[in-house]
Amino acid sequence: MAVDMELELMLRPPALPMAPYPSKVITLANGKKMVVREVQREDIPTLLKAVHPTIFIHKDFYDIVGSRLYSELVGMYTHRTANEFCLVGQIDGFLVGMVNSRMYSAKTGMSLHTLAIDRGLRVGAHLFAAKMEHHIEYLGQEEVLIVAESPIGFRRWMIEYGLEPTDIPHELGGALSFRLTRQLYFETKSRLVAGDRPVPQELLEVAQREIVIASEADIREKIAGLKGR
Amino acid sequence: MRDVAIIGVGMIPFGRRDEDTLVDMLAYASMKALDDAGVDAVDALYVANMGGGVIQRQTAIASALVDRLSLLPAAADLVENGPASGGSAVKNGVLAVASGYYDVVLVAGGEKMREVTGWRATDFVATLTHPETEYPYGITLPGMAGMFTRLYMEKYGVTREMLVQIAIKNQTMGALNPYAHVEMMITKEGVMDSPHSVVNNPPAATPLHLYDMCPVSDGAAAVILCPLNRVKELTKNLPVVVAGFGQATDTHTLAEREDPTDLKAVTLAAQQAFERAKMKPEEISVAELHDAFTILEIAESEHVGFFKKGEGGKAVLEGKTRLGGQLPINVSGGLKARGHPVGATGVAQIVELTWQLRHELPKERQVKGAKAGFSINFGGFGNNVVAFVLKRGEK
């Protein structure tokens, strides 16, 4: 279908300039190397394949996280969400988790979602930290507004970072936001933000060559298997 | 007193079992044990559980289980002894059979802890501490373990690497155990050497880190006991003989102990078990120790006499406690990897030792030629401890 660009430009939200996120590599507890990198708009259809099965996992709030993340990624793909970025974690090319977020304004970031597919390795914690790193260090923002949809998220973000409660309703359902300030970020960085740069070329090439997505059955097992790993 | 044999065992995979109730889990494990033994009636049940009344708001668990299993009108008792509930329940079952009062006894232990958040589970376990001098001040079991570790490190030269090697060993074995909660192997690089380990393995109760802690788990395990002289008529299984047991207690509050690094109840319980079995620690082929925290595997291995004080950690580094080593400890993965549903743990240790002594496990988990097993079920912070010595029987 031909796009009416004149109308389309009116439908798209205004965009702020966004610095790229430099890739990094993290050694996980099992010794495996997770490459964390920013994906581009053209990668989104691939990511949606990984998010889709999570919509139907009624455990640990994966269903709401998956549903909202899916729509946010579609919003990014169709230019309907302003200033959104998405970072992924890959081990040997396989997608093990992702985070997305957006610039609400030049000063304030609006943290959206964190989805861990491989569990028990603090993949989600590492990716969330990368998201905060991007907001504060590369996008140069002063604060990030954050909410948690699950108790696991609450423990990881609000408690581990000691986030400040606010009375600002968050975009995600209107829950009151917690705030990561630039000062708090740098106070917690040494114990919560990890990663080496530059990523060795061979690791980066494997990650960039293809985002490998596990089968839907494997994703369900990894997230919601009997053992809850 | 009659000799007592274990003729059937059963366990369900530990982990997070959202779909099962506490009684469901106990029933599944019990049915497996009954099937394994080949019996369909028992004289009595002893059920180990610590938190049903607190977490599930369900009491009289033994009454619920005996009915669920259609084992009426068997006698049924609940045994609550903190994290040593499982060991205590097995001990009560053994005494009941040994005394001649009952012939066939089912002992089941179970706990459902993942129903609540981690910190509520930690708080629930902390209710075993002293209600006036410890609990109101916010002490938790990880907190106690952290303080104990610091003292033990100072006194006996235990290093962080020794603790990390226990975590690696037990998670490696857990990855081979289909009943283990944690099936993920870890590496020294990932949890200690890499600068990223600061995030992967953060301090939890200094000097203990995340991977020094057992997980919070759901699970259940069960055993069937009978007099040794009735084994042939009741089952086709090779019996495992309860050669000895011991139980000892220590002060409720840690502060009242002359030397907080001296786990007197562990030493006494082990001594009793070895004396009754007429055996020595060096005759043990495989041990299941209560490693709720990695430091406890070292401390218990020294207190029961497997190694001299200050030598347990070195033995870990030398590989003496690995499968294939001088004395394999926690081949199941221990509490560290199999998980620690508190009421189930002491029973699960007996189940694992029974499998080992029957030589039934896959090669990668089996202690070759195992003849005698030993367990420590550590209640409170060492204030109520149950030890068992088991021996491989004869057909």
Side-chain angles (χ1 to χ4, degrees):
Chain A
M1 187 173 71
V3 177
D4 179 341
M5 283 311 295
E6 189 180 353
L7 177 59
E8 175 64 16
L9 288 174
M10 286 192 283
L11 294 174
R12 290 184 185 184
L16 291 166
M18 294 174 75
Y21 178 79
S23 303
K24 65 179 179 179
V25 61
I26 300 170
T27 303
L28 299 177
N30 61 3
K32 293 192 174 173
K33 311 287 183 191
M34 177 172 75
V35 173
V36 181
R37 65 187 186 93
E38 185 171 14
V39 292
Q40 302 305 314
R41 180 175 168 272
E42 55 270 24
D43 295 314
I44 288 174
T46 304
L47 299 182
L48 292 177
K49 290 179 195 163
V51 178
H52 186 262
T54 69
I55 294 172
F56 306 98
I57 296 174
H58 308 300
K59 186 171 188 174
D60 294 336
F61 299 88
Y62 266 87
D63 45 10
I64 188 167
V65 169
S67 305
R68 286 177 166 174
L69 174 58
Y70 195 97
S71 76
E72 289 153 8
L73 291 174
V74 172
M76 185 173 164
Y77 188 69
T78 54
H79 302 285
R80 292 296 182 270
T81 308
N83 314 312
E84 186 176 352
F85 67 85
C86 178
L87 310 179
V88 295
Q90 289 171 273
I91 298 174
D92 300 329
F94 274 89
L95 182 76
V96 294
M98 69 182 92
V99 285
N100 70 327
S101 203
R102 74 182 205 89
M103 294 174 76
Y104 177 75
S105 67
K107 272 178 55 181
T108 301
M110 186 70 67
S111 176
L112 297 175
H113 285 98
T114 300
L115 180 81
I117 294 172
D118 275 21
R119 302 183 75 182
L121 287 166
R122 290 179 67 85
V123 163
H126 279 301
L127 290 174
F128 179 84
K131 174 162 66 169
M132 297 304 120
E133 181 185 37
H134 193 26
H135 275 295
I136 301 294
E137 295 200 46
Y138 299 106
L139 298 175
Q141 298 195 280
E142 293 301 316
E143 62 178 10
V144 187
L145 299 179
I146 301 157
V147 287
E149 283 148 335
S150 73
I152 295 171
F154 188 85
R155 188 168 70 228
R156 289 277 178 272
W157 328 142
M158 285 62 188
I159 294 178
E160 290 192 8
Y161 285 79
L163 299 181
E164 296 175 356
T166 75
D167 56 3
I168 304 168
H170 196 278
E171 284 182 358
L172 297 179
L176 296 183
S177 304
F178 285 73
R179 175 162 43 206
L180 178 79
T181 61
R182 173 170 281 270
Q183 183 185 347
L184 190 52
Y185 170 80
F186 283 109
E187 282 171 6
T188 52
K189 182 181 174 182
S190 64
R191 63 181 174 85
L192 293 169
V193 185
D196 293 333
R197 294 188 176 89
V199 180
Q201 193 58 32
E202 66 275 16
L203 281 177
L204 192 59
E205 279 176 9
V206 169
Q208 288 174 333
R209 192 179 305 140
E210 185 185 3
I211 300 173
V212 186
I213 308 292
S215 70
E216 288 205 6
D218 280 350
I219 290 173
R220 277 195 294 272
E221 168 60 21
K222 282 167 187 276
I223 293 173
L226 172 70
K227 311 271 177 90
R229 281 165 286 150
Chain B
M1 298 287 265
R2 301 187 293 184
D3 287 332
V4 179
I6 298 164
I7 57 168
V9 291
M11 185 150 59
I12 57 171
F14 286 10
R16 179 173 156 183
R17 302 185 62 104
D18 291 349
E19 288 76 25
D20 302 323
T21 68
L22 171 60
V23 175
D24 288 341
M25 294 193 301
L26 286 161
Y28 298 151
S30 299
M31 286 190 285
K32 284 184 163 197
L34 290 162
D35 282 350
D36 181 45
V39 299
D40 54 14
V42 301
D43 301 315
L45 278 77
Y46 291 91
V47 181
N49 173 256
M50 179 181 172
V54 180
I55 298 176
Q56 281 80 36
R57 302 286 295 162
Q58 182 176 4
T59 56
I61 306 289
S63 309
L65 181 64
V66 70
D67 190 14
R68 174 70 66 87
L69 292 169
S70 298
L71 291 174
L72 304 171
D77 288 314
L78 179 71
V79 178
E80 193 280 291
N81 186 22
S85 297
S88 282
V90 176
K91 182 203 77 173
N92 278 288
V94 169
L95 284 172
V97 174
S99 71
Y101 210 93
Y102 296 128
D103 269 4
V104 183
V105 166
L106 164 66
V107 181
E111 206 74 62
K112 188 166 172 61
M113 304 172 76
R114 298 294 300 240
E115 201 164 296
V116 293
T117 55
W119 56 83
R120 296 227 186 275
T122 301
D123 177 65
F124 140 66
V125 177
T127 59
L128 63 79
T129 61
H130 196 285
E132 288 154 14
T133 63
E134 290 178 332
Y135 184 82
Y137 299 98
I139 191 71
T140 62
L141 273 293
M144 284 180 169
M147 292 188 284
F148 176 84
T149 305
R150 188 178 294 283
L151 292 172
Y152 215 85
M153 283 175 147
E154 285 173 8
K155 188 163 183 180
Y156 294 112
V158 170
T159 63
R160 173 129 190 261
E161 181 172 0
M162 292 170 182
L163 302 179
V164 163
Q165 289 298 346
I166 287 174
I168 292 170
K169 169 179 74 73
N170 292 357
Q171 291 207 201
T172 300
M173 293 314 300
L176 298 171
N177 182 356
Y179 294 90
H181 182 171
V182 179
E183 296 177 306
M184 183 188 79
M185 287 192 269
I186 54 174
T187 64
K188 184 162 168 275
E189 182 192 17
V191 301
M192 183 173 164
D193 292 345
S194 160
H196 309 163
S197 66
V198 173
V199 183
N200 296 333
N201 190 17
T206 310
L208 294 175
H209 290 242
L210 176 67
Y211 283 101
D212 290 306
M213 311 280 170
C214 66
V216 173
S217 314
D218 302 333
V223 302
I224 306 290
L225 306 169
C226 80
L228 186 59
N229 62 12
R230 287 201 61 200
V231 167
K232 282 182 184 168
E233 69 180 273
L234 288 168
T235 188
K236 291 176 181 171
N237 285 340
L238 180 88
V240 167
V241 180
V242 182
F245 70 82
Q247 183 175 15
T249 50
D250 203 342
T251 62
H252 193 181
T253 58
L254 280 178
E256 288 178 354
R257 295 184 196 170
E258 193 176 332
D259 176 358
T261 63
D262 186 9
L263 300 174
K264 284 182 183 169
V266 173
T267 304
L268 290 170
Q271 281 173 355
Q272 288 173 23
F274 283 122
E275 278 170 21
R276 285 178 200 272
K278 298 186 174 59
M279 290 175 70
K280 294 176 179 170
E282 48 269 33
E283 294 177 81
I284 296 297
S285 329
V286 54
E288 285 286 304
L289 301 184
H290 192 112
D291 59 329
F293 311 100
T294 50
I295 185 67
L296 288 180
E297 184 172 308
I298 293 174
E300 290 168 17
S301 72
E302 294 174 352
H303 281 78
V304 304
F306 292 144
F307 303 105
K308 290 179 184 167
K309 294 274 179 74
E311 298 293 319
K314 291 176 193 163
V316 174
L317 294 184
E318 290 164 4
K320 289 180 178 173
T321 58
R322 287 184 196 157
L323 185 64
Q326 174 188 316
L327 173 62
I329 294 177
N330 289 330
V331 178
S332 64
L335 284 63
K336 174 76 190 75
R338 183 183 54 220
H340 185 25
V342 283
T345 288
V347 185
Q349 291 175 320
I350 301 298
V351 172
E352 170 71 17
L353 291 177
T354 300
W355 284 331
Q356 289 285 357
L357 296 173
R358 286 185 191 169
H359 302 170
E360 283 181 348
L361 292 167
K363 195 169 69 179
E364 66 272 18
R365 286 230 304 122
Q366 177 66 50
V367 175
K368 204 173 172 185
K371 289 180 182 168
F374 176 86
S375 67
I376 281 285
N377 191 192
F378 185 88
F381 201 83
N383 61 21
N384 202 326
V385 178
V386 185
F388 282 95
V389 174
L390 307 182
K391 281 200 304 191
R392 178 179 165 86
E394 293 172 357
K395 274 259 184 184

